[in-house]
Amino acid sequence: MTADSPVGLETPGDAAPDAAMPENAASEVTSAEFRRMPVADMIEWIGRNGEPTDPRDDIDADSLVRRFPHLGAVATRDVTLDGPNGPLPGRIYVDETAQAAGVGFVWAHGGAFLGGHLDIPEANWTSLELASRGVPVLSIDYTKCVRGVHYPVPSDDVLAWWEEARSHSLEWLGVPGDRLVLGGASAGATLTAGAVQRLIDAERPVPAGLILVYPALHPDPTDPTAVAPKAAHLDGLTMNFAGSLAALTDPQVFPGWGNGRGFPRTFVVACERDAFVPSAEAFVRTLERAGVAAQYRLELDSHHGHIDEPSDAGAHRTLAAMREWLGA
């Protein structure tokens, strides 16, 4: 659940659940119009039309390199996963001129489980910045929860990407499989943390580390004690992902319900002006009780989805902190 621009979903209270679908919904809507739709209309619209167009004209790769010349040395390569639910795109980022951090990173963007793709800044800019600082990245996509899709479909995709990354880690990222870190933002954080829980439950190797940025790790990220969200808009997104009432209390779906045992060292970043802070903080406490080395960072004066905006000062601070933690 994120403010990624193509989907534009914000934290509870930023959307108007009772707004009507715009008259031009059959063709194109602005990001602002899309955010004002009820969740059911969002899901229907995006299922028929795809994601709304991002109005920004300075977030493509060439524009990012012009804005941040240090990104120019990063080489990218597109790869495709023959996933359990069909082909999925991924993108490799490597800067051979950067001082190597000694780890590789598998990164999943957010998008409220409805949208997001490899070209949004949360995926592309984040990967470019980390690669330019010596952390080779595999940015991954997954099946969205539209047209009747629910859990476990996107989770299966993330798990499949993880296994593929481990088997190709030397070829793709230049590091052994046991030096791969997994991470994600918002919905991507939910999926990657859930994937780790599934690996633990299956007694399979877990990543060397985990990074969660403004995560939604509970059915109601604003109240980690609640089984179902109180806000109608958030409840619609949560149920659309989970697909059933039973899934709402499953730690493989919402890892905040788990006991944290078996998780690798974990870095959790929350934004001060994000309603989802309670979910992040509760999960950190769970990891600490389990004896996991957990580091928590509250990015001051920042909003949910801040690393999807390259002009956000807090985003630059967060990326620097991620690189420092990855290299520790």
Side-chain angles (χ1 to χ4, degrees):
M1 303 167 199
T2 184
D4 294 332
S5 298
V7 178
L9 298 178
E10 310 264 343
T11 52
D14 292 328
D18 57 350
M21 183 180 289
E23 292 181 2
N24 63 338
S27 55
E28 183 59 271
V29 299
T30 66
S31 296
E33 288 173 329
F34 188 80
R35 284 196 299 270
R36 289 194 294 269
M37 291 183 190
V39 171
D41 288 347
M42 286 181 174
I43 296 168
E44 179 186 354
W45 193 94
I46 205 169
R48 285 189 287 107
N49 302 288
E51 298 188 36
T53 301
D54 192 318
R56 293 176 291 180
D57 61 2
D58 59 352
I59 58 170
D60 60 281
D62 289 341
S63 295
L64 288 171
V65 170
R66 284 194 295 270
R67 295 168 70 182
F68 311 112
H70 63 278
L71 304 181
V74 178
T76 64
R77 177 160 67 99
D78 288 343
V79 292
T80 301
L81 172 71
D82 185 14
N85 305 292
L88 292 166
R91 187 172 298 153
I92 298 165
Y93 297 75
V94 178
D95 185 346
E96 299 287 356
T97 69
Q99 181 175 354
V103 297
F105 191 36
V106 180
W107 174 245
H109 64 78
F113 309 104
L114 297 180
H117 49 79
L118 298 183
D119 291 323
I120 63 173
E122 189 176 81
N124 188 42
W125 178 57
T126 296
S127 300
L128 286 167
E129 287 285 357
L130 291 175
S132 76
R133 304 174 196 203
V135 180
V137 179
L138 169 65
S139 179
I140 63 174
D141 208 352
Y142 47 86
T143 307
K144 309 309 186 298
C145 292
V146 296
R147 307 182 193 92
V149 170
H150 309 288
Y151 181 90
V153 171
S155 179
D156 289 344
D157 290 344
V158 170
L159 272 177
W161 265 122
W162 173 249
E163 297 298 344
E164 190 80 353
R166 278 181 58 88
S167 64
H168 290 85
S169 59
L170 283 173
E171 172 195 353
W172 287 356
L173 303 178
V175 298
D178 62 0
R179 297 293 295 164
L180 286 183
V181 174
L182 181 63
S186 198
T190 310
L191 293 171
T192 51
V196 171
Q197 185 65 63
R198 294 178 66 180
L199 290 169
I200 294 168
D201 293 345
E203 300 182 343
R204 292 157 61 189
V206 299
L210 179 67
I211 293 181
L212 306 174
V213 181
Y214 37 79
L217 302 170
H218 302 79
D220 186 344
T222 72
D223 180 2
T225 66
V227 173
K230 302 175 184 66
H233 191 70
L234 185 55
D235 182 60
L237 293 173
T238 295
M239 282 304 301
N240 182 60
F241 165 56
S244 69
L245 292 174
L248 294 180
T249 55
D250 186 342
Q252 294 187 357
V253 186
F254 292 102
W257 294 127
N259 58 24
R261 295 174 192 155
F263 269 76
R265 60 188 291 264
T266 301
F267 184 35
V268 179
V269 180
C271 293
E272 181 184 25
R273 301 183 184 277
D274 181 10
F276 291 2
V277 168
S279 183
E281 294 184 340
F283 191 63
V284 170
R285 291 192 295 270
T286 295
L287 294 177
E288 291 174 340
R289 287 194 296 268
V292 175
Q295 181 175 331
Y296 175 63
R297 178 182 178 86
L298 181 66
E299 200 63 74
L300 300 180
D301 197 30
S302 289
H303 295 266
H304 191 93
H306 72 312
I307 59 172
D308 194 56
E309 180 44 70
S311 63
D312 188 292
H316 289 266
R317 295 193 299 268
T318 293
L319 292 175
M322 290 169 64
R323 170 59 180 88
E324 181 178 2
W325 184 88
L326 283 162

